[in-house]
């Protein structure tokens, strides 16, 4: 039984931008021998019903990601800066700020 | 459960729960027992499940959770792929262009569903190629429902209505599964399944209000598919010990029997609306439980088909192998094209393998 191809084709991560101005979002992945075919495969697999007005394909190996072990220390600096949030600031009762 | 035949089978796969059914007291045939886990990490993991957090590919997970997911997801993906075959049979014989377009689009969606789930399975560190080899060499299982033949055009309608209908009940639950990539694939799939079910129900409804011969064809089809559709949800809860882990770890949030009951409750009214009957004399509304009670399922038939002796098991695999082999030149051409263009640019084709 021939099982040519498949495994030799690199993995690409697919990002789709929905109509209406939202940001590109991760949709999934495809296998393809090059970028051009990765785009075509991504179109066929992830945008059969007008889900996207733009597509990105990125070699999976090119993505640098945080690790779960980073979770605490890496994101921590954000959590103790309450002054980054509007609720930190006092406003007289009854005044509409927005 | 059972009969002597199923004593031989140690790992069972049944349908839409796309789930591995392990016979009580048995070990998986080809796998060593999962290693003992660090109790502290296991407790943290289970606390995350209890808080309804999503588990992502790089997170720590018990080996048994990972294995259960790989098996369940790959079998689910295989089922989508093999599921194209019974319906693909009828594309050239669809009665109108409208029906042909609908059926082509549905079958194409099923290919997409397979790819969404293979892609999710690869996040667990397996290679899609290996999974496909397992499907083609017959060592992987897929949903038994696709081992039944599509004898008439009405079967295409009934499959959309009942088989995709049962799949929706199951996949709606799986869309809340604890493993993020699986749950997200299910959300995507559920959006498309509604089209599948409606196109099927429309076909059956049209036949049911057609000539007497058309109506008889629809009824015959429902008679043949009803019980296999109920079997799609897998054995009764009491015979499904493996469900323990799956529900404990939030992969399955409802039991086989709960899902089956929900499907029956939904379908009775749909059959009535198009004046068809479901082939079960014991079907009646239970005033106490507010459920539709139904008759006994023929589990011997179920295990026979799971074990490889369904009407079309061999034919399906042969068709799948042929399709794969016939596609070899397309993959080879794609590689040649990529290599040629890479040579033109004087650079490798971009992606890291
Ligand atoms: Fe599907
Ligand atoms: Fe479907």
């Amino acid at each position: 039984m021939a099982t040519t191809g498949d495994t030799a084709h690199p993995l690409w991560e697919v990002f789709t931008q929905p109509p209406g101005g939202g940001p590109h979002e991760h949709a999934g992945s495809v296998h393809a021998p090059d970028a051009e075919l990765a785009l075509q495969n991504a179109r066929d697999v992830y945008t059969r019903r007008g889900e996207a007005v733009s597509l990105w394909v990125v070699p999976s190996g090119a993505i640098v990601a945080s690790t779960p072990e980073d979770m605490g220390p890496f994101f921590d600096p954000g959590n103790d800066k309450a002054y980054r949030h509007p609720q930190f600031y006092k406003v007289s009762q009854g005044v509409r700020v927005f | 459960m059972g009969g002597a035949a199923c004593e031989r089978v140690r790992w069972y796969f049944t349908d839409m729960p796309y789930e591995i059914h392990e016979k009580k007291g048995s070990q998986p045939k080809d796998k060593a027992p999962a290693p003992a886990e660090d109790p502290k990490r296991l407790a943290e993991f289970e606390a995350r499940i209890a808080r309804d957090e999503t588990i992502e590919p790089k997170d720590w997970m018990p080996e048994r959770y990972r294995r259960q997911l790989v098996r369940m997801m790959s079998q689910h993906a295989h089922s989508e792929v093999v599921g194209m075959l019974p319906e693909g049979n009828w594309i050239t014989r669809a009665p109108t262009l409208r029906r042909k377009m609908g059926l082509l689009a549905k079958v194409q969606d099923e290919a997409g569903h397979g790819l969404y789930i293979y892609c999710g399975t690869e996040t667990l560190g397996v290679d899609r190629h290996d999974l496909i080899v397992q499907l083609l060499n017959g060592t992987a299982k897929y949903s038994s429902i696709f081992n039944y033949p599509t004898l008439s055009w009405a079967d295409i309608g009934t499959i959309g209505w009942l088989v995709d209908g049962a799949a929706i009940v199951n996949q709606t639950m799986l869309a809340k599964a604890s493993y993020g990539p699986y749950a997200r694939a299910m959300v995507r799939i559920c959006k498309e399944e509604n089209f599948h079910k409606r196109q099927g129900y429309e076909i059956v409804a049209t036949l049911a209000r057609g000539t007497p011969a058309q109506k008889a064809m629809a009824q015959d089809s429902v008679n043949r598919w009803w019980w296999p559709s109920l079997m799609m949800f897998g054995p009764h809860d009491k015979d499904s010990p493996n469900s323990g882990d799956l529900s404990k770890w939030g992969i399955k949030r409802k039991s086989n029997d709960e899902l089956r009951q929900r499907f029956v409750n939904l379908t009775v009214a749909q059959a009535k609306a198009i004046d068809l009957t479901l082939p079960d004399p014991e079907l009646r509304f239970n005033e106490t439980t507010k459920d539709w009670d139904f008759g006994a399922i023929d589990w011997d038939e179920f295990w026979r088909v799971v074990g490889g002796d369904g009407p079309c098991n061999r034919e399906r695999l042969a068709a799948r192998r042929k399709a794969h082999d016939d596609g070899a030149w397309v993959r080879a051409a794609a590689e040649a094209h990529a290599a040629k263009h890479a040579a033109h640019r004087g650079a490798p084709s971009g992606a890291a393998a």
Side-chain angles (χ1 to χ4, degrees), chain B residues 106 110 113 164 193 196:
Chain B
K106 179 190 190 287
E110 304 301 2
H113 296 179
D164 290 81
E193 289 292 358
H196 300 179

Side-chain angles (χ1 to χ4, degrees), chain A residues 1-13 16 25-37 40-41 44-49 51 58-69 71, chain B residues 41 48 58-60 105 108-113 115-116 119-120 122 127-130 132-133 136-137 184 188 191-192 195-196 321 324-325 328 331-332 334-335 337-339 341 345 349-353:
Chain A
M1 158 192 16
T3 51
T4 350
D6 284 346
T7 201
H9 296 178
L11 194 62
W12 304 74
E13 298 302 321
T16 54
E25 243 190 32
H26 185 242
S29 61
V30 292
H31 286 271
D34 67 3
E36 188 186 345
L37 281 164
Q40 287 183 20
N41 289 351
D44 293 344
V45 177
Y46 293 103
T47 71
R48 286 192 299 282
R49 292 179 176 79
E51 291 93 334
V58 182
S60 299
I63 291 188
V64 182
S66 63
T67 67
E69 290 72 39
M71 279 287 250
Chain B
R41 302 197 94 168
R48 293 191 64 197
K58 289 174 143 192
D59 294 348
W60 185 89
Q108 193 188 0
D109 277 352
E110 304 301 2
H113 296 179
L115 290 171
Y116 302 158
C119 144
E122 287 193 303
D127 189 326
R128 186 181 74 184
H129 177 75
D130 297 337
I132 289 172
V133 168
L136 296 179
N137 71 17
R184 290 191 287 272
R188 201 172 277 281
K191 283 185 194 155
E192 301 181 346
F195 144 58
H196 300 179
R321 286 192 193 115
H324 190 83
D325 291 347
R331 296 188 291 277
E335 283 159 26
H337 178 265
H341 279 252
R345 284 191 305 270
S349 64

Side-chain angles (χ1 to χ4, degrees), chain B residues 16-317:
Chain B
M16 293 311 175
Y18 300 109
E19 177 199 327
I20 318 92
H21 291 289
E22 190 180 349
K23 189 139 174 94
K24 276 175 185 156
S26 72
Q27 288 290 321
K29 66 170 180 246
D30 52 355
K31 291 274 169 76
E37 303 289 359
D38 175 352
K40 189 165 161 282
R41 302 197 94 168
L42 184 61
E44 280 167 15
F45 174 83
E46 289 184 340
R48 293 191 64 197
I49 299 280
R51 289 194 299 271
D52 268 341
E53 286 180 26
T54 309
I55 307 302
E56 295 296 335
K58 289 174 143 192
D59 294 348
W60 185 89
M61 61 187 78
E63 179 58 18
R64 187 158 165 78
Y65 177 83
R66 197 189 72 84
R67 285 188 193 176
Q68 290 274 28
L69 278 171
V70 168
R71 198 175 284 259
M72 182 166 164
M73 290 170 70
S74 61
Q75 288 171 340
H76 190 163
H78 296 328
S79 304
E80 302 285 349
V81 170
V82 178
M84 287 189 280
L85 299 173
E87 293 180 290
N89 269 343
W90 281 88
I91 290 174
T92 55
R93 292 174 286 169
T96 66
L97 186 57
R98 180 174 184 274
R99 293 285 185 231
K100 186 182 297 220
M101 290 189 303
L103 184 56
L104 267 171
K106 179 190 190 287
V107 171
Q108 193 188 0
D109 277 352
E110 304 301 2
H113 296 179
L115 290 171
Y116 302 158
I117 307 170
Y118 282 131
C119 144
T121 316
E122 287 193 303
T123 65
L124 292 160
V126 294
D127 189 326
R128 186 181 74 184
H129 177 75
D130 297 337
L131 301 177
I132 289 172
V133 168
Q134 287 166 17
L135 173 65
L136 296 179
N137 71 17
T139 54
K141 296 282 187 188
Y142 56 85
S143 180
S144 290
I145 193 81
F146 302 119
N147 288 323
Y148 289 86
T150 40
L151 303 178
S152 71
W153 168 251
D155 288 1
I156 299 308
T158 310
I159 287 179
W161 173 30
L162 298 182
V163 176
D164 290 81
I168 292 172
V169 168
N170 187 58
Q171 291 174 149
T172 305
M173 169 205 51
L174 290 174
K176 300 190 190 76
S178 56
Y179 189 57
Y182 197 23
R184 290 191 287 272
M186 287 305 114
V187 169
R188 201 172 277 281
I189 285 176
C190 283
K191 283 185 194 155
E192 301 181 346
E193 289 292 358
N194 286 331
F195 144 58
H196 300 179
K197 178 169 176 177
R198 283 179 70 125
Q199 66 91 36
Y201 190 56
E202 190 194 272
I203 290 171
V204 181
T206 305
L207 291 171
R209 61 169 188 268
T211 64
Q214 286 171 325
K215 182 166 186 190
M217 187 202 281
Q219 184 64 60
D220 166 68
S221 173
V222 171
N223 292 350
R224 283 181 289 109
W225 289 92
W226 173 246
W227 290 106
S229 300
L230 293 193
M231 294 176 197
M232 285 171 63
F233 295 96
H236 288 309
D237 297 344
K238 64 178 170 46
D239 300 321
S240 183
N242 222 35
S243 296
D245 275 349
L246 296 174
S247 70
K248 178 178 74 182
W249 287 331
I251 300 172
K252 278 187 63 178
R253 297 189 185 267
K254 290 210 168 74
S255 75
N256 297 354
D257 285 330
E258 283 176 291
L259 294 167
R260 182 164 26 236
Q261 185 66 61
R262 177 168 166 68
F263 173 70
V264 172
N265 290 353
L266 286 168
T267 310
V268 168
Q270 293 161 2
K272 197 158 184 280
I274 54 176
D275 196 27
L276 292 178
T277 58
L278 300 172
D280 180 358
E282 291 175 53
L283 197 63
R284 57 181 58 88
F285 190 68
N286 183 324
E287 285 295 344
T288 317
T289 60
K290 304 291 174 200
D291 285 326
W292 284 86
D293 292 341
F294 51 93
I297 293 170
D298 179 357
W299 294 111
D300 287 343
E301 172 182 329
F302 171 79
W303 294 117
R304 223 168 28 244
V305 182
V306 170
D309 269 335
C312 301
N313 296 48
R314 287 164 203 83
E315 188 185 326
R316 297 290 182 244
L317 265 193

